[in-house]
């Protein structure tokens, strides 16, 4: 019996495929520009990548998992909340399963991060993993051991579009989100939000990496923005801990590379976690940018 499996990460700009071996080694990997605004062409492009990976393996009918920047409603089977809007309202899982003649698993890309890290990354051995992506946007997913938890509405772990907790009304109203609401965590805790904070304070547009560097060098404005960011992140994560109390929190996405997060946020968490006590491990994703596609492959766990 083969232990090989295929993962697809359907991103906004690129679609990536990986072929994993039973020891989680990468046997094949390639990416193509995402086919945008054309649903049936999206299906065909994914099928093409699967066939390419299977040709490499010399095998057929391998298990396939797909991570998407949106969620799948368990009730309707339809995609929703995808910023790749041409997927919304479509039965992607059913259509891919039909096209590829096997049961394809489709889930949110942040769930893939959680599954990837719980399978062979930073969250191995923990029971509940909460994994957040702090990138262009801000999403999160949940895994129980190494399986994605999605819930009846398909939104378990979705967190970016809750308002940032313990934040003044004025501050919340100052951040409009693309989703139509104000003060979503995404508008503060994403890389985009971090850059906006700096730009509002200084008038200067920098990348998150540049802001972190300037803060490290002691620039006053950058230090203030990073301090606010870390406190906001602690508040956002404390609200998760107060509801779920996960065994580990994993961070991915560009902002998660800021070392200062792991040095300082753990000490800020007890300020907001009920009872004033918190020793939840806060760790960086081991597989970095590869976690999405690896986690998609692991949506079909090895059954012994
Ligand atoms: Zn929002």
């Amino acid at each position: 019996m083969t232990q090989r499996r295929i993962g697809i990460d359907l991103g906004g700009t690129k679609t990536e495929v990986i072929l994993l071996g039973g020891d989680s080694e990468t046997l094949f990997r390639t990416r193509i520009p995402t086919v945008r605004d054309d649903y049936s062409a999206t299906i065909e492009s994914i099928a093409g990548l699967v066939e390419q990976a299977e040709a490499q393996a010399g095998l057929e009918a391998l298990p396939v998992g797909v991570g998407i920047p949106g969620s799948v409603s368990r009730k309707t089977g339809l995609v929703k909340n995808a910023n790749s809007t041409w997927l919304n309202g479509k039965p992607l899982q059913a259509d891919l399963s039909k096209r590829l003649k096997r049961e394809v698993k489709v889930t949110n890309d942040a769930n893939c991060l959680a599954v990837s890290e719980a399978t062979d990354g930073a969250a191995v051995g923990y029971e509940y993993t909460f994994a957040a992506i702090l990138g262009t946007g801000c999403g999160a997913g949940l895994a129980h051991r190494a399986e994605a938890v999605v819930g009846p509405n398909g939104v378990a772990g979705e967190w970016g579009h809750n308002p940032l907790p313990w934040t003044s009304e004025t501050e919340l109203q100052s951040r409009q989100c693309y989703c139509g609401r104000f003060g979503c965590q995404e508008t503060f805790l994403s890389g985009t939000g971090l850059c906006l904070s700096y730009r509002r304070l200084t008038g200067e547009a920098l990348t998150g990496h540049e802001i972190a560097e300037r803060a490290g060098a002691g620039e006053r404005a950058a230090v203030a923005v990073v301090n606010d960011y870390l406190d906001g992140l602690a508040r956002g994560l404390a609200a998760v801990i107060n509801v779920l109390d996960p065994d580990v929190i994993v961070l991915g996405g560009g902002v998660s590379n800021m070392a200062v997060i792991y040095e300082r946020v753990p000490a800020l968490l007890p300020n907001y976690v009920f009872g004033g006590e918190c020793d939840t491990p806060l760790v960086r994703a081991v597989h970095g940018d590869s976690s999405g596609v690896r986690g998609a492959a692991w949506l079909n766990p090895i059954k012994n």
Side-chain angles (χ1 to χ4, degrees):
M1 189 182 76
T2 179
Q3 299 282 302
R4 296 183 186 185
R5 62 211 58 249
I6 292 171
I8 300 273
D9 183 20
L10 179 57
T13 55
K14 51 109 187 136
T15 304
E16 186 163 8
V17 64
I18 198 167
L19 172 68
L20 287 185
D23 294 324
S24 84
E25 73 276 27
T26 303
L27 300 173
F28 172 70
R29 188 172 175 175
T30 191
R31 56 170 67 178
I32 56 170
T34 291
V35 180
R36 296 183 64 85
D37 302 317
D38 185 338
Y39 178 68
S40 53
T42 299
I43 300 274
E44 284 310 310
S45 70
I46 291 171
L49 288 173
V50 168
E51 283 156 8
Q52 228 180 311
E54 287 183 336
Q56 288 287 328
L59 294 165
E60 288 181 341
L62 294 177
V64 175
V66 182
I68 60 166
S71 33
V72 179
S73 166
R74 202 164 79 188
K75 278 181 282 197
T76 65
L78 304 178
V79 175
K80 60 180 178 180
N81 304 334
N83 52 18
S84 302
T85 50
W86 66 96
L87 301 175
N88 285 324
K90 297 287 200 267
L92 182 63
Q93 183 161 299
D95 286 341
L96 279 173
S97 298
K98 197 170 147 195
R99 173 65 179 79
L100 288 166
K101 300 187 178 65
R102 74 200 80 171
E103 194 194 334
V104 174
K105 293 194 175 168
V106 179
T107 196
N108 178 263
D109 49 13
N111 289 341
C112 291
L113 169 67
V115 168
S116 166
E117 294 296 323
T119 300
D120 62 355
V124 170
Y126 290 100
E127 183 128 1
Y128 277 98
T129 299
F130 180 82
I133 299 177
L134 310 172
T136 312
C138 176
L142 185 62
H144 176 239
R145 300 190 190 275
E147 291 202 33
V149 176
V150 292
N153 302 293
V155 295
E158 282 300 341
W159 165 78
H161 298 277
N162 283 354
L164 188 66
W166 300 285
T167 304
S168 76
E169 193 56 28
T170 318
E171 206 177 344
L172 290 177
Q173 290 300 322
S174 77
R175 304 265 172 142
Q176 186 167 16
C177 185
Y178 78 89
C179 76
R181 296 181 193 272
F182 287 83
C184 292
Q185 294 188 110
E186 171 158 316
T187 66
F188 294 94
L189 302 183
S190 63
T192 314
L194 174 68
C195 297
L196 177 64
S197 300
Y198 189 82
R199 199 168 74 233
R200 284 194 174 166
L201 189 64
T202 65
E204 201 176 347
L206 295 186
T207 64
H209 181 70
E210 288 165 337
I211 295 165
E213 273 192 338
R214 288 198 188 185
E219 186 202 87
R220 190 179 294 186
V223 168
V225 165
V226 168
N227 285 347
D228 273 359
Y229 180 88
L230 297 177
D231 197 69
L233 182 58
R235 282 180 273 143
L237 293 176
V240 172
I241 293 168
N242 282 344
V243 173
L244 182 69
D245 207 354
D247 296 280
V248 62
I249 295 174
V250 182
L251 302 179
V255 182
S256 74
N257 293 319
M258 272 170 44
V260 70
I261 289 177
Y262 312 94
E263 292 159 14
R264 292 180 40 204
V265 171
L268 296 170
L269 284 171
N271 296 337
Y272 302 105
V273 171
F274 187 56
E277 180 191 357
C278 179
D279 46 24
T280 309
L282 178 65
V283 293
R284 191 188 322 207
V286 165
H287 296 295
D289 289 345
S290 302
S291 257
V293 75
R294 293 179 66 90
W298 291 123
L299 293 177
N300 293 286
I302 289 176
K303 300 264 194 299
N304 290 312

